[in-house]
């Protein structure tokens, strides 16, 4: 049973097939399909979501499937039911489990026990569905990923890791600029070795964006880090994506953000709706990329 728990679970050729399928699905939007007729998907959320919830719900319905939504508040996992037992039960009732959780390890437990494919809809460690949508966006807007220079400014968090590693797997030069102690975990840098492209951890945002084709940022305060908000705002204050920082990138460089954004914190609001902003395409492409992923896992 194949699951998608990490952006590196699939070889580049399979990822490129999914991206090609996502492009076709986007072009045929509006025509409902029946690939998932008679099949049900559980969406499980331990953390809040707008984009992931809506894109999976709408996408599964457009493919002809049914959705049941669960959260920590409506299940018993937080009240003592073992995640293994939870997954074993769901696997008897649904054909796919999409889960947003804190622990990447729990996703592994789900995948081992459910007996149906599991999709990582964000964990503390990774956000591979965001990475697929980001790769689709860069392909659309730049025509290629291989050889492009991709700069991520901010924490080496789940989004930096997944989008960075996926783009590097597809041949991009990835640079991540973070304050000391907030860079990519060493395990992620180890995973980057041997990929077609490269991932380099830097501390200077200007060095990272120099000549970049795309400049990406994410919140300084991820879900679960709210207690550290004040300290983080101080630590990250020189890691804002601003027009001044963008001046060091290529003139046609894309501005990217996975959303939700805290305007004036990690990104200046004026950049979000500028012509070179790819942010809204990224959000839309969650729908198409995830539909393509589901088709790969369930009908491929
Ligand atoms: N980008 C993203 O995953 O957004 P949500 O947290 O709203 O799902
Ligand atoms: N890094 C953010 C991404 C939200 C989509 C978080 O984990 O909260």
């Amino acid at each position: 049973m194949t699951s998608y728990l990490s952006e590196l679970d699939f070889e580049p050729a399979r990822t490129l097939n999914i991206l090609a399928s996502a492009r076709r699905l986007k072009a045929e939007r509006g025509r409902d399909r029946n690939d998932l007729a008679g099949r049900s998907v559980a969406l499980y959320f331990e953390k809040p979501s707008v984009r992931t919830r809506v894109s999976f719900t709408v996408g599964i319905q457009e493919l002809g499937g049914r959705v049941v939504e669960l959260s920590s508040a409506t299940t018993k996992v937080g009240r003592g039911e073992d995640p293994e037992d939870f997954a074993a039960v769901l696997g008897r009732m649904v054909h796919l489990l999409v889960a947003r959780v804190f622990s990447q390890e729990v996703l592994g437990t789900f995948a081992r026990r459910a007996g149906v494919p599991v999709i990582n809809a964000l964990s503390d460690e990774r956000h591979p569905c965001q990475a697929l949508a980001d790769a689709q966006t860069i392909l659309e807007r730049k025509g290629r990923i291989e050889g492009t220079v991709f700069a991520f400014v901010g924490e080496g968090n789940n989004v930096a890791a997944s989008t960075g590693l996926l783009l590097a797997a597809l041949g991009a030069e990835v640079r991540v600029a973070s304050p000391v102690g907030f860079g990519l975990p060493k395990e992620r840098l180890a995973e980057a070795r041997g990929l077609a492209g490269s991932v380099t951890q830097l501390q200077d945002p200007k060095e990272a964006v120099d000549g970049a084709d795309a400049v990406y940022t994410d919140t300084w305060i991820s879900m679960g880090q709210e207690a550290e908000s004040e300290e983080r705002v101080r630590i990250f204050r020189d890691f804002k994506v601003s027009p001044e920082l963008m001046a060091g990138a290529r003139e046609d460089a894309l501005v990217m953000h996975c959303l939700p954004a805290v305007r004036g914190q990690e990104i200046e609001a004026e950049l979000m709706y500028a012509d070179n902003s790819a942010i809204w395409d990224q959000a839309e492409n969650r729908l198409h990329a995830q539909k393509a992923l589901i088709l790969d896992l369930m009908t491929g």
Side-chain angles (χ1 to χ4, degrees), residues 206-273:
K206 284 205 189 82
E207 187 183 349
V209 308
D210 183 27
D213 296 288
V215 178
Y216 198 123
T217 190
D218 181 16
T219 181
W220 295 339
I221 302 141
S222 283
M223 292 178 277
Q225 300 172 335
E226 291 78 5
E228 303 162 26
S229 297
E230 226 173 282
E231 192 191 351
R232 283 176 166 270
V233 168
R234 190 171 42 74
I235 292 170
F236 283 92
R237 70 181 164 219
D238 295 330
F239 289 76
K240 187 194 296 281
V241 172
S242 60
E244 296 74 51
L245 186 67
M246 288 304 297
R250 282 177 56 102
E251 205 183 327
D252 60 353
L254 301 176
V255 174
M256 300 183 73
H257 195 307
C258 57
L259 302 174
V262 184
R263 294 164 170 219
Q265 230 169 59
E266 74 274 5
I267 188 164
E268 290 296 6
E270 64 190 275
L271 294 176
M272 297 180 67
Y273 288 90

Side-chain angles (χ1 to χ4, degrees), residues 3 10 15 40 64 67 165 172 184 229 245 252 267 285:
S3 287
F10 296 168
T15 302
S40 301
V67 178
L165 286 170
L184 288 167
S229 297
L245 186 67
D252 60 353
I267 188 164
N285 286 338

Side-chain angles (χ1 to χ4, degrees), residues 173-208:
E173 177 187 335
V174 175
R175 307 170 188 159
V176 179
S178 321
V180 176
F182 292 86
L184 288 167
K186 60 179 186 324
E187 296 83 0
R188 299 292 87 71
L189 290 168
E191 285 177 347
R193 281 179 222 127
L195 298 178
S198 61
V199 179
T200 310
Q201 180 67 59
L202 303 165
Q203 271 94 46
D204 180 2
K206 284 205 189 82
E207 187 183 349

